[in-house]
Amino acid sequence: MSYKAKPIFFLNPVRSTPQLKEAMTSFLDEVWLPMHSYDDELVLFHYTNLEGLKGIINSRSIWLTHSSTLNDPSELEYGKNLILSILENVKSNESNSTMKIFLDGLITNFSAFNLFPYNTYVASFCELDNLLSQWRIYASRGSGYNIGIKFNSDTIFYHELHENEKESYVILRKIIYNADKQNEIVSNYVSSIVSSAKEAINWFNERGGLPEAWESIAAIEAVDILFDLMLSFKNPAFLEENEWRLIKVMQSNYKPYLIRFREIEGKLIPYLNTYIADIKNSKLFFPIYSIKIGPMLDENSYKSILEVFINNQAALNHKIGINPNVKITGAGYSLR
């Protein structure tokens, strides 16, 4: 089955401007979302250690970590600075005073990412199932595993497994590393919303003038996609990671008990436990496709142990089932 990407939602303006909405919809449908959609079966790989493997399979879930605690501290700053630079350049070349206020609002709202009453949680996957750098960094220097998970448009996500559970709106993004492509995407989007904002200003002026606080409200409407772009950009130096990213945006005061914490090197790391499932014959199943054994481990002995573990998990009474026929393989080479 294919995966069709969904838009991301951060801020909701009190009213929408039709010209802006049309430009944003066109950009999403024709430019942005197709970059993150997949026509064929999409299997992504999460590299982890033994503890992570057990936790993911036992719970049928992935931890989405707060965006401020990503491995690369400058990661979000990279995309943020790139986008701000383009916005500032467009603003400096703009002579229309109303448009300058609109662009100022865009810059202010965008700069306040993670200061709004919204928090962003992410989990990283790799497009490749046997990448040496991933083994070394995320899978105990090759003594760990990677878990292949299938995603499609019908894959559902939960944060609670109880009688009144509700599906969570989680999106999937393919990370873009090429700097020229990043600049092209941002410039394309900013150009389209500037043009549509000018159309809206003319339209309103022909009908008696702009609504009160239009510039600020329009900026709130247009900034959502800029957040989306920022979360999907990464420094070209990380190209070999081939990353895809699960993203969840939620209000900071929404069910705060859902947020859990772990400690790493004396620092609290907030995370959001997220169950992943497909529906088959009216039952939930964890869409695990494969487990690959790291190159520092003996494939034969560890494969038989993992087969016992998977059969054990398939037999247990869990609201999300698991297929016992998970593909288990080795890396195909050894590191000593």
Side-chain angles (χ1 to χ4, degrees):
M1 294 179 69
S2 63
Y3 175 77
K4 184 176 180 181
K6 303 179 290 188
I8 201 168
F9 299 106
F10 275 85
L11 306 180
N12 295 310
V14 294
R15 59 176 178 267
S16 177
T17 299
Q19 293 86 347
L20 272 178
K21 186 173 183 179
E22 181 179 351
M24 293 169 64
T25 300
S26 176
F27 175 82
L28 287 171
D29 292 344
E30 299 174 17
V31 178
W32 186 240
L33 296 182
M35 292 182 184
H36 309 279
S37 299
Y38 208 79
D39 291 335
D40 301 317
E41 183 175 73
L42 178 59
V43 182
L44 299 175
F45 303 92
H46 186 74
Y47 289 75
T48 186
N49 56 23
L50 177 59
E51 182 182 0
L53 172 79
K54 289 172 57 184
I56 289 168
I57 294 176
N58 281 334
S59 65
R60 281 61 153 172
S61 69
I62 288 284
W63 289 357
L64 274 63
T65 306
H66 195 277
S67 60
S68 66
T69 62
L70 293 170
N71 285 341
D72 174 11
S74 65
E75 187 169 320
L76 295 182
E77 289 301 311
Y78 171 82
K80 190 174 186 178
N81 291 337
L82 183 151
I83 293 169
L84 283 174
S85 176
I86 292 174
L87 288 174
E88 292 285 1
N89 184 57
V90 170
K91 178 190 165 188
S92 67
N93 291 303
E94 181 57 62
S95 58
N96 184 295
S97 59
T98 303
M99 282 302 301
K100 279 185 174 290
I101 296 172
F102 167 70
L103 289 166
D104 265 332
L106 265 183
I107 291 169
T108 299
N109 286 309
F110 180 70
S111 298
F113 177 79
N114 271 348
L115 298 179
F116 284 116
Y118 291 83
N119 287 312
T120 307
Y121 295 83
V122 301
S124 296
F125 291 81
C126 182
E127 199 171 89
L128 305 177
D129 72 339
N130 207 356
L131 192 57
L132 185 57
S133 60
Q134 295 288 296
W135 285 122
R136 286 174 167 164
I137 297 172
Y138 301 109
S140 299
R141 298 184 179 274
S143 296
Y145 307 83
N146 74 43
I147 302 171
I149 297 177
K150 289 183 180 181
F151 294 94
N152 60 65
S153 297
D154 296 326
T155 302
I156 54 180
F157 305 90
Y158 299 102
H159 304 304
E160 299 175 273
L161 287 180
H162 52 65
E163 293 300 321
N164 299 315
E165 67 206 17
K166 289 188 177 180
E167 182 181 349
S168 178
Y169 191 85
V170 176
I171 67 164
L172 187 60
R173 289 291 182 264
K174 180 181 176 70
I175 298 302
I176 296 168
Y177 299 93
N178 185 281
D180 291 337
K181 188 66 175 177
Q182 294 165 352
N183 276 280
E184 177 188 338
I185 292 168
V186 179
S187 297
N188 182 332
Y189 176 64
V190 173
S191 175
S192 69
I193 59 172
V194 165
S195 296
S196 63
K198 289 180 177 179
E199 290 177 12
I201 291 170
N202 292 333
W203 189 88
F204 282 122
N205 285 336
E206 289 171 0
R207 289 159 178 79
L210 287 171
E212 183 179 357
W214 175 83
E215 300 92 337
S216 298
I217 295 170
I220 291 173
E221 181 176 13
V223 78
D224 266 2
I225 291 177
L226 293 177
F227 289 140
D228 194 342
L229 303 186
M230 179 187 67
L231 288 165
S232 305
F233 289 170
K234 208 164 181 176
N235 191 301
F238 294 90
L239 173 63
E240 74 165 18
E241 290 183 348
N242 292 276
E243 183 181 353
W244 284 69
R245 182 173 285 172
L246 279 178
I247 303 173
K248 171 64 181 178
V249 179
M250 59 190 294
Q251 291 186 342
S252 56
N253 61 355
Y254 176 74
K255 295 186 176 180
Y257 60 84
L258 290 177
I259 307 303
R260 304 177 185 180
F261 298 86
R262 57 194 175 113
E263 182 182 339
I264 297 181
E265 297 178 351
K267 183 179 180 180
L268 278 178
I269 308 295
Y271 69 92
L272 183 63
N273 196 50
T274 303
Y275 301 95
I276 305 174
D278 282 341
I279 299 178
K280 296 180 181 179
N281 300 322
S282 301
K283 295 182 179 180
L284 297 175
F285 278 90
F286 184 44
I288 182 172
Y289 169 79
S290 66
I291 300 174
K292 191 175 287 291
I293 300 162
M296 289 290 288
L297 302 176
D298 177 70
E299 176 182 346
N300 293 328
S301 61
Y302 279 83
K303 182 177 179 180
S304 60
I305 293 169
L306 284 175
E307 288 172 346
V308 173
F309 177 52
I310 292 298
N311 283 327
N312 167 267
Q313 288 297 308
L316 294 179
N317 183 22
H318 194 290
K319 193 158 189 176
I320 300 177
I322 196 167
N323 183 353
N325 300 314
V326 173
K327 180 181 178 183
I328 302 173
T329 61
Y333 59 94
S334 297
L335 296 175
R336 289 288 185 266

